Amino acid sequence: MLPNVGFQNVLSAGIHAKYGILSIKVKPKFHLMENNYFEEFPENHFPIIWERRYRLWNNIDMPIRFGENSISRASIGESNFFLNYKNYRLGISNENLWWGPSRNNSIMMSNNAQGFGHFTFQTVKPIEIYIGKIEFKYINGMLNHSGYNPPNIEGESSGTKYFIDKELRKNYNSKTNLNAFIFTFLPKKINGLNLGVIRWI
C-alpha cells in the first residue's frame, strides 16, 4: 500500500510448485489507488522550516504524494525461483523482506513495502556447527527510484533553492544497486540468545 487518500486495493493470487531441487512461486499483484488530493506540507511555513525539511528530502526518496492521478499497476509481486540443496538455497526473487530487530516494526527492511528484484544465496534452516547454529542470507538487487519529487521544488530562500535535483547529486543513478547480508549465530546451551549482524551497501 502507498500513503494516499481514497480507495486502495491490492489483488494477488498465485501458485507454488517443487520438483527435486527446483522450487518456483508465481504470485503477481495488481495495485489500484484513487490517490485523491490532500494538503501536503503546508506552503505557508517559514523558510527555515522548509530548509530543515529539505535536509531530509534532499537525501531520501520519500514522496509526500505519488502524482495527481489515480494509479493502477501490475507487478510480478511475491514471485521467486530457487535451487535448493540440503540446507542451502540459491535463486532469484521479487519478494519483500523482513530484516532487523523487533517483531512488529522491523528496523532495516519490512514487508510493508513492495518487494524488489534480487539474487539470493541463503540457508534454508539453521546449520549445526560445533559451538551452536548459524544462519545467513546474502542478496544483490536493484532498487528503482520513485520518480516523484517532494513539494515546493521551486521554493527558495536567500536566492538558494531548497530542492537539489537528484540528477545533480554525486553517484546518482536511475537505479541503485544493493548488496546486503544478514548473519545470525545461536550459541549452544544459551537458550533464547541470538547474535546477529546486518550490513548493506
Side-chain angles (χ1 to χ4, degrees):
M1 299 286 188
L2 292 176
N4 76 105
V5 173
F7 173 83
Q8 182 171 186
N9 198 20
V10 175
L11 304 175
S12 181
I15 58 171
H16 178 255
K18 293 180 70 176
Y19 181 77
I21 65 170
L22 302 177
S23 67
I24 185 170
K25 180 171 69 173
V26 180
K27 191 180 179 186
K29 287 183 179 180
F30 178 73
H31 198 175
L32 175 65
M33 294 158 282
E34 277 191 291
N35 199 28
N36 293 330
Y37 170 81
F38 65 93
E39 183 180 26
E40 300 177 29
F41 196 69
E43 293 189 7
N44 60 356
H45 272 308
F46 293 109
I48 186 64
I49 302 299
W50 279 104
E51 291 173 12
R52 289 173 178 170
R53 178 59 58 166
Y54 263 96
R55 290 177 191 171
L56 170 67
W57 284 341
N58 280 330
N59 291 284
I60 192 171
D61 187 8
M62 190 180 73
I64 303 299
R65 190 174 177 210
F66 293 78
E68 299 179 354
N69 302 315
S70 62
I71 301 172
S72 62
R73 59 189 183 192
S75 72
I76 62 174
E78 301 295 301
S79 302
N80 63 45
F81 177 82
F82 292 134
L83 299 174
N84 304 288
Y85 179 72
K86 295 184 178 179
N87 289 337
Y88 302 97
R89 173 176 290 162
L90 179 72
I92 54 175
S93 173
N94 198 67
E95 297 169 296
N96 51 27
L97 303 170
W98 184 279
W99 280 21
S102 83
R103 294 183 178 180
N104 298 316
N105 297 291
S106 182
I107 294 174
M108 306 300 281
M109 285 190 281
S110 74
N111 56 9
N112 72 338
Q114 69 184 31
F116 57 93
H118 60 274
F119 160 85
T120 181
F121 176 56
Q122 65 187 82
T123 52
V124 177
K125 59 183 180 180
I127 298 173
E128 296 271 0
I129 59 174
Y130 180 72
I131 56 175
K133 299 177 182 179
I134 61 170
E135 294 179 275
F136 68 84
K137 183 168 188 172
Y138 165 78
I139 64 169
N140 179 283
M142 298 299 295
L143 304 176
N144 296 316
H145 294 269
S146 70
Y148 299 101
N149 291 321
N152 194 22
I153 63 172
E154 299 300 326
E156 60 180 53
S157 176
S158 301
T160 302
K161 284 191 173 183
Y162 307 126
F163 177 65
I164 299 175
D165 190 344
K166 293 184 179 68
E167 293 182 356
L168 300 180
R169 295 182 195 168
K170 187 179 180 181
N171 299 326
Y172 172 83
N173 291 296
S174 59
K175 293 180 181 290
T176 300
N177 180 254
L178 171 72
N179 275 286
F181 71 85
I182 181 169
F183 178 87
T184 306
F185 171 58
L186 297 81
K188 275 185 178 179
K189 299 180 181 180
I190 309 179
N191 293 331
L193 176 63
N194 296 348
L195 304 174
V197 61
I198 297 173
R199 171 68 171 163
W200 59 28
I201 301 171

